[in-house]
Tab-separated table of all heavy atoms in Angstrom:
chain	number	residue	atom	x	y	z
A	256	TYR	N	-10.279	12.346	-10.411
A	256	TYR	CA	-9.844	11.516	-11.523
A	256	TYR	C	-10.449	10.132	-11.340
A	256	TYR	O	-10.839	9.719	-10.320
A	256	TYR	CB	-8.236	11.231	-11.518
A	256	TYR	CG	-7.457	12.503	-11.498
A	256	TYR	CD1	-7.235	13.113	-10.347
A	256	TYR	CD2	-6.894	12.973	-12.572
A	256	TYR	CE1	-6.361	14.317	-10.358
A	256	TYR	CE2	-6.145	14.167	-12.652
A	256	TYR	CZ	-5.821	14.672	-11.459
A	256	TYR	OH	-5.080	15.844	-11.477
A	257	PRO	N	-10.640	9.390	-12.544
A	257	PRO	CA	-11.119	8.040	-12.367
A	257	PRO	C	-10.103	7.073	-12.114
A	257	PRO	O	-8.888	7.230	-12.603
A	257	PRO	CB	-11.688	7.674	-13.825
A	257	PRO	CG	-10.754	8.558	-14.758
A	257	PRO	CD	-10.500	9.912	-13.937
A	258	SER	N	-10.407	6.088	-11.199
A	258	SER	CA	-9.418	4.965	-10.973
A	258	SER	C	-10.409	3.730	-10.945
A	258	SER	O	-11.643	3.813	-11.118
A	258	SER	CB	-8.806	4.994	-9.594
A	258	SER	OG	-7.821	4.024	-9.559
A	259	VAL	N	-9.823	2.516	-10.941
A	259	VAL	CA	-10.756	1.394	-11.304
A	259	VAL	C	-10.192	0.145	-10.512
A	259	VAL	O	-8.970	-0.149	-10.435
A	259	VAL	CB	-10.862	1.107	-12.851
A	259	VAL	CG1	-9.574	0.719	-13.411
A	259	VAL	CG2	-11.889	0.127	-13.078
A	260	ASN	N	-11.136	-0.651	-9.991
A	260	ASN	CA	-10.990	-1.994	-9.578
A	260	ASN	C	-11.358	-2.968	-10.725
A	260	ASN	O	-12.327	-2.760	-11.294
A	260	ASN	CB	-11.691	-2.320	-8.362
A	260	ASN	CG	-11.306	-1.481	-7.096
A	260	ASN	OD1	-10.064	-1.325	-6.860
A	260	ASN	ND2	-12.164	-1.089	-6.231
A	261	LEU	N	-10.787	-4.183	-10.828
A	261	LEU	CA	-11.078	-4.980	-11.855
A	261	LEU	C	-11.455	-6.349	-11.104
A	261	LEU	O	-10.785	-6.885	-10.275
A	261	LEU	CB	-9.896	-5.332	-12.723
A	261	LEU	CG	-9.295	-4.121	-13.379
A	261	LEU	CD1	-7.986	-4.489	-14.094
A	261	LEU	CD2	-10.122	-3.284	-14.180
A	262	ILE	N	-12.721	-6.818	-11.413
A	262	ILE	CA	-13.287	-7.890	-10.629
A	262	ILE	C	-13.770	-9.017	-11.578
A	262	ILE	O	-14.688	-8.662	-12.461
A	262	ILE	CB	-14.432	-7.393	-9.760
A	262	ILE	CG1	-13.892	-6.122	-8.880
A	262	ILE	CG2	-14.960	-8.427	-8.698
A	262	ILE	CD1	-14.904	-5.408	-8.248
A	263	GLY	N	-13.405	-10.195	-11.276
A	263	GLY	CA	-14.065	-11.357	-12.023
A	263	GLY	C	-14.332	-12.439	-11.152
A	263	GLY	O	-13.912	-12.477	-9.882
A	264	ARG	N	-14.893	-13.554	-11.651
A	264	ARG	CA	-15.237	-14.652	-10.796
A	264	ARG	C	-15.072	-16.056	-11.551
A	264	ARG	O	-15.418	-15.867	-12.777
A	264	ARG	CB	-16.602	-14.465	-10.038
A	264	ARG	CG	-17.753	-14.810	-11.052
A	264	ARG	CD	-19.116	-14.762	-10.152
A	264	ARG	NE	-20.292	-15.484	-11.052
A	264	ARG	CZ	-20.827	-14.820	-12.032
A	264	ARG	NH1	-20.754	-13.501	-12.320
A	264	ARG	NH2	-21.894	-15.512	-12.623
A	265	ILE	N	-14.943	-17.126	-10.867
A	265	ILE	CA	-15.100	-18.433	-11.300
A	265	ILE	C	-16.190	-19.048	-10.468
A	265	ILE	O	-15.966	-19.161	-9.177
A	265	ILE	CB	-13.708	-19.139	-11.372
A	265	ILE	CG1	-12.759	-18.428	-12.043
A	265	ILE	CG2	-14.059	-20.643	-11.814
A	265	ILE	CD1	-12.765	-18.435	-13.475
A	266	ASP	N	-17.224	-19.571	-11.082
A	266	ASP	CA	-18.380	-20.170	-10.327
A	266	ASP	C	-17.947	-21.492	-9.598
A	266	ASP	O	-16.991	-22.160	-10.255
A	266	ASP	CB	-19.553	-20.436	-11.203
A	266	ASP	CG	-20.212	-19.132	-11.571
A	266	ASP	OD1	-20.039	-18.128	-10.908
A	266	ASP	OD2	-20.835	-19.158	-12.670
A	267	GLY	N	-18.495	-21.786	-8.585
A	267	GLY	CA	-18.221	-23.096	-7.817
A	267	GLY	C	-19.225	-24.192	-8.321
A	267	GLY	O	-20.137	-23.966	-9.159
A	268	THR	N	-19.062	-25.324	-7.686
A	268	THR	CA	-19.853	-26.570	-8.135
A	268	THR	C	-20.994	-26.958	-7.188
A	268	THR	O	-21.820	-27.717	-7.552
A	268	THR	CB	-18.917	-27.786	-8.335
A	268	THR	OG1	-18.249	-27.991	-7.002
A	268	THR	CG2	-17.892	-27.469	-9.332
A	269	ASP	N	-20.868	-26.378	-5.999
A	269	ASP	CA	-21.903	-26.742	-4.884
A	269	ASP	C	-22.943	-25.707	-4.804
A	269	ASP	O	-22.701	-24.526	-4.329
A	269	ASP	CB	-21.194	-26.922	-3.529
A	269	ASP	CG	-22.113	-27.479	-2.459
A	269	ASP	OD1	-23.234	-27.400	-2.582
A	269	ASP	OD2	-21.528	-28.154	-1.574
Side-chain angles (χ1 to χ4, degrees):
Y256 303 84
S258 188
V259 65
N260 295 322
L261 310 175
I262 310 168
R264 76 175 197 275
I265 303 289
D266 290 334
T268 60
D269 191 333

